[in-house]
Amino acid sequence: MDFTPTGEQEAARELAGRIFADLATHERLRAAGAGTDAELWKALCAAGLPGAVEETGLLGLVLLLEEQGRRTAQVPFAASCAYGILAVARHGTEEQRARFLPGLRDGTTVVTGAFPASGTVTSRDGRLSGAVGWVPWLRDAGHVLVPDGDRALWLVRTEDAAAVEAVELTAPWAAARLVLDGTPAERLGTGGPAAYDDVLAAARIAFAGLQAGVCAGSLARAVEYTSVREQFGRPLSTHQAVQLRAADAHMDTEAIRVTAYEAAWRFDEGLDAAGAALTAAWWASEAGRRVVHAGQHLHGGLGADLDHPVHRHFLWGRQLDAYLGSGTELLAELGDRLAKGDLS
């Protein structure tokens, strides 16, 4: 295994880091509320970053999402790449790739995914019925990728849904409840459960990469704050208890990052990545929760300020720790795989 970024991956990450640093400021994030920062999304797409994922692979996407997570930037980058670009490129027909990918690359088309479906969705003659309790970025998406009860994948135009009801999440992800009632849908390719498993694994890895960035950003803010905030005549960062708490958070963040890198590398190499995806998602859930709590606690009373930037990391980290499976659920899935003798 070699996680050293290629020249293309490193260039894309550096470019993304500059764009997020310039545009995902605290003031702009407050102004965006729960919606997409349209100017930031336009800048990312003009730089060709969503389209670059086709060349840099899932590991390249993880690197880009780390940069987004550091700034908790309000754009549907992870959703549109995992459920849109990668899903269509890997499982769509030639005609679907020709029709969807250009818009996904330039950002004029945004796709999100109803994963995991929190309601029951059935399909009959190309029409879907059922409801999904909440779908991230649905209010900003033109299409949503929906799995039915047989785990076949369907693309649904958001405007065709019976209802798209806004819901508020812990993190401001422009989410909505999706209601389908005989809604026309387009089958993605011809794949069945294998395509569903592939998309779910890619999404888990991508959002683990996002969590690694969220945790890194939270920890960076805590280090900066404790280095200048003094108590009893010396910086908080010189106290052993603070150092140990920050060190634990750093090790947790590195564990999220390296397991996401390994899973993405396996995915890109065509190896079985399902177990690695579960491992990365488990670390993102369990360790991610610890890190964002530590980041807030190390800010002392200031961490209780809902308007402080570190609070956004806390909200994103808590949302990500349960998205696509909580730690307990992911551990149960891993246990099932081990019980079946699947040690990959």
Side-chain angles (χ1 to χ4, degrees):
M1 293 180 289
D2 183 2
F3 305 148
T4 304
T6 64
E8 292 79 5
Q9 290 171 337
E10 188 62 44
R13 175 167 64 176
E14 290 178 0
L15 177 57
R18 290 198 299 271
I19 294 174
F20 285 128
D22 289 343
L23 295 181
T25 63
H26 181 52
E27 293 72 26
R28 291 179 61 87
L29 291 171
R30 283 194 302 179
T36 294
D37 184 332
E39 183 179 346
L40 173 56
W41 182 240
K42 182 178 179 180
L44 292 167
C45 295
L49 291 174
V53 172
E54 290 181 83
E55 300 297 327
T56 61
L58 184 55
L59 181 54
L61 175 59
V62 166
L63 296 173
L64 297 178
L65 292 177
E66 276 193 83
E67 298 303 321
Q68 179 187 358
R70 291 177 195 276
R71 303 286 176 172
T72 59
Q74 286 292 111
V75 287
F77 205 149
S80 200
C81 287
Y83 300 124
I85 288 179
L86 290 179
V88 172
R90 290 172 66 88
H91 303 291
T93 64
E94 184 176 347
E95 187 276 334
Q96 287 174 328
R97 291 194 295 269
R99 179 157 43 95
F100 283 104
L101 287 177
L104 287 165
R105 292 175 189 132
D106 64 21
T108 56
T109 299
V110 173
V111 174
T112 187
F115 282 69
S118 56
T120 301
V121 176
T122 59
S123 61
R124 182 176 181 180
D125 299 328
R127 292 182 176 271
L128 304 183
S129 295
V132 182
W134 65 273
V135 179
W137 302 105
L138 183 59
R139 282 180 268 166
D140 291 336
H143 290 77
V144 55
L145 187 64
V146 183
D148 65 16
D150 296 323
R151 298 196 297 175
L153 299 177
W154 301 84
L155 281 166
V156 176
R157 291 197 308 173
T158 308
E159 63 183 26
D160 291 336
V164 174
E165 303 165 348
V167 296
E168 298 302 321
L169 304 181
T170 301
W173 285 0
R177 179 172 182 263
L178 177 68
V179 181
L180 305 170
D181 186 7
T183 302
E186 177 181 353
R187 180 76 175 264
L188 180 65
T190 58
Y196 169 88
D197 291 341
D198 186 79
V199 173
L200 178 58
R204 280 173 164 162
I205 297 166
F207 281 95
L210 184 62
Q211 180 76 303
V214 169
C215 291
S218 175
L219 182 58
R221 291 187 183 280
V223 169
E224 180 182 10
Y225 175 75
T226 57
S227 296
V228 297
R229 178 72 166 87
E230 292 190 357
Q231 186 181 62
F232 306 120
R234 59 194 181 107
L236 285 173
S237 59
T238 62
H239 294 268
Q240 188 178 49
V242 173
Q243 294 173 352
L244 292 175
R245 189 74 186 276
D248 286 342
H250 171 73
M251 294 304 296
D252 273 337
T253 301
E254 288 301 298
I256 300 170
R257 177 183 289 115
V258 74
T259 52
Y261 284 8
E262 179 187 0
W265 175 84
R266 293 185 63 87
F267 187 92
D268 289 339
E269 292 295 314
L271 303 172
D272 182 7
L278 284 167
T279 302
W282 182 85
W283 275 104
S285 175
E286 294 292 308
R289 182 173 64 252
R290 291 195 294 265
V291 173
V292 296
H293 274 272
Q296 196 167 37
H297 290 168
L298 288 173
H299 278 77
L302 195 61
D305 182 357
L306 301 186
D307 194 47
H308 193 279
V310 77
H311 189 65
R312 292 183 62 86
H313 291 272
F314 177 77
L315 296 178
W316 278 60
R318 289 313 308 261
Q319 187 70 58
L320 286 164
D321 88 54
Y323 182 50
L324 300 179
S326 67
T328 302
E329 293 169 329
L330 295 164
L331 204 59
E333 284 192 53
L334 275 169
D336 289 341
R337 292 179 65 88
L338 292 173
K340 294 175 182 177
D342 183 356
L343 303 180
S344 62

